[in-house]
Amino acid sequence: MNEQPVENEPKFRVRARHTETTVVVYQAYRPGIGRPAARTGRFPSTWKRDRMTWIKPSFLWMMYRCGWGTKEGQETVLAVEVRREGFEWALRHACLSHYAAALHPDQAAWKRELARSPARVQWDPERDLHHNPLPYRSLQLGLGGEAAVRYADEWIVGIGDVTPLAAQIHALVRAGEEERARRLLPGERPYPVADEVLARLRA
């Protein structure tokens, strides 16, 4: 089950489908990129390595972002299985996407850190089946520069097209069959991240 008991969930925690060696993140693309990626397990040449790409470990947050795969340019929803060492490299080399007075001496220091970091983190409210915000946060991890290249060329183990699953769950939600919909959600659980890594990314 994807949705966690609200009273037991800390505000900042990474939750994901994961094994001992891999973690699943989600992205949504237009079919011209998403379908070839799912078919070959690699992004096609039209995928831009020089652009920031955002990966999301939360299936429901991805559904909120792409409207269950109905938004223009986000019609193909991908489940990308990546190596844990790559995902954790990105977290260790990430900077918060916004200035936080508790973590940065001043805005200039944050901007310098942002400029030299190949990855960035933002925390957005997690969502329920109806896209309502929950009181705890969902990780969004932006990859640029070296991180984007490593992601595309080294970290990806496999890419699956979960657009049909998104449509199936969405149909059940619309029909009011929430329990059936919830049973189809990918099983996400707390992902272990060293506290010293998250300490500079929680704000």
Side-chain angles (χ1 to χ4, degrees):
M1 184 180 297
N2 194 76
E3 294 175 289
Q4 303 291 326
V6 170
E7 65 275 10
N8 297 327
E9 189 63 21
K11 185 174 181 179
F12 299 103
R13 178 158 69 176
V14 181
R15 295 170 303 277
R17 284 177 58 202
H18 58 89
T19 68
E20 290 184 0
T21 58
T22 63
V23 57
V24 173
V25 296
Y26 298 96
Q27 297 192 284
Y29 290 100
R30 58 183 174 83
I33 290 178
R35 289 175 182 168
R39 187 170 60 249
T40 65
R42 288 289 179 268
F43 288 112
S45 59
T46 48
W47 189 85
K48 303 299 184 183
R49 282 171 167 74
D50 57 352
R51 293 179 60 183
M52 179 73 64
T53 188
W54 289 86
I55 59 177
K56 300 99 175 168
S58 166
F59 179 83
L60 278 178
W61 200 92
M62 185 72 259
M63 295 305 99
Y64 160 72
R65 180 69 180 82
C66 71
W68 300 98
T70 64
K71 291 185 179 179
E72 185 178 358
Q74 301 185 64
E75 300 92 342
T76 306
V77 186
L78 302 178
V80 185
E81 189 175 14
V82 299
R83 302 183 195 281
R84 280 176 61 154
E85 59 260 36
F87 182 73
E88 291 166 17
W89 183 95
L91 288 174
R92 288 196 305 273
H93 291 81
C95 170
L96 268 181
S97 64
H98 65 277
Y99 167 72
L103 297 177
H104 308 112
D106 50 47
Q107 290 216 13
W110 164 69
K111 287 181 180 178
R112 287 193 298 270
E113 184 182 354
L114 191 68
R116 66 174 179 261
S117 298
R120 57 193 59 177
V121 159
Q122 65 185 48
W123 299 91
D124 296 293
E126 182 59 284
R127 301 286 165 160
D128 66 13
L129 281 167
H130 297 280
H131 297 166
N132 297 312
L134 296 172
Y136 50 91
R137 300 286 171 146
S138 178
L139 174 79
Q140 321 304 321
L141 183 56
L143 308 176
E146 181 184 359
V149 173
R150 286 181 175 227
Y151 172 62
D153 296 340
E154 301 175 17
W155 300 344
I156 293 175
V157 174
I159 302 177
D161 185 348
V162 292
T163 312
L165 175 64
Q168 184 180 9
I169 296 174
H170 188 204
L172 289 170
V173 172
R174 290 202 314 270
E177 299 190 51
E178 289 190 23
E179 202 51 50
R180 287 182 63 195
R182 196 170 284 111
R183 286 198 294 268
L184 293 178
L185 292 172
E188 294 166 9
R189 53 198 172 93
Y191 182 91
V193 180
D195 192 62
E196 63 266 23
V197 174
L198 279 187
R200 56 184 185 78
L201 297 172
R202 288 190 294 238

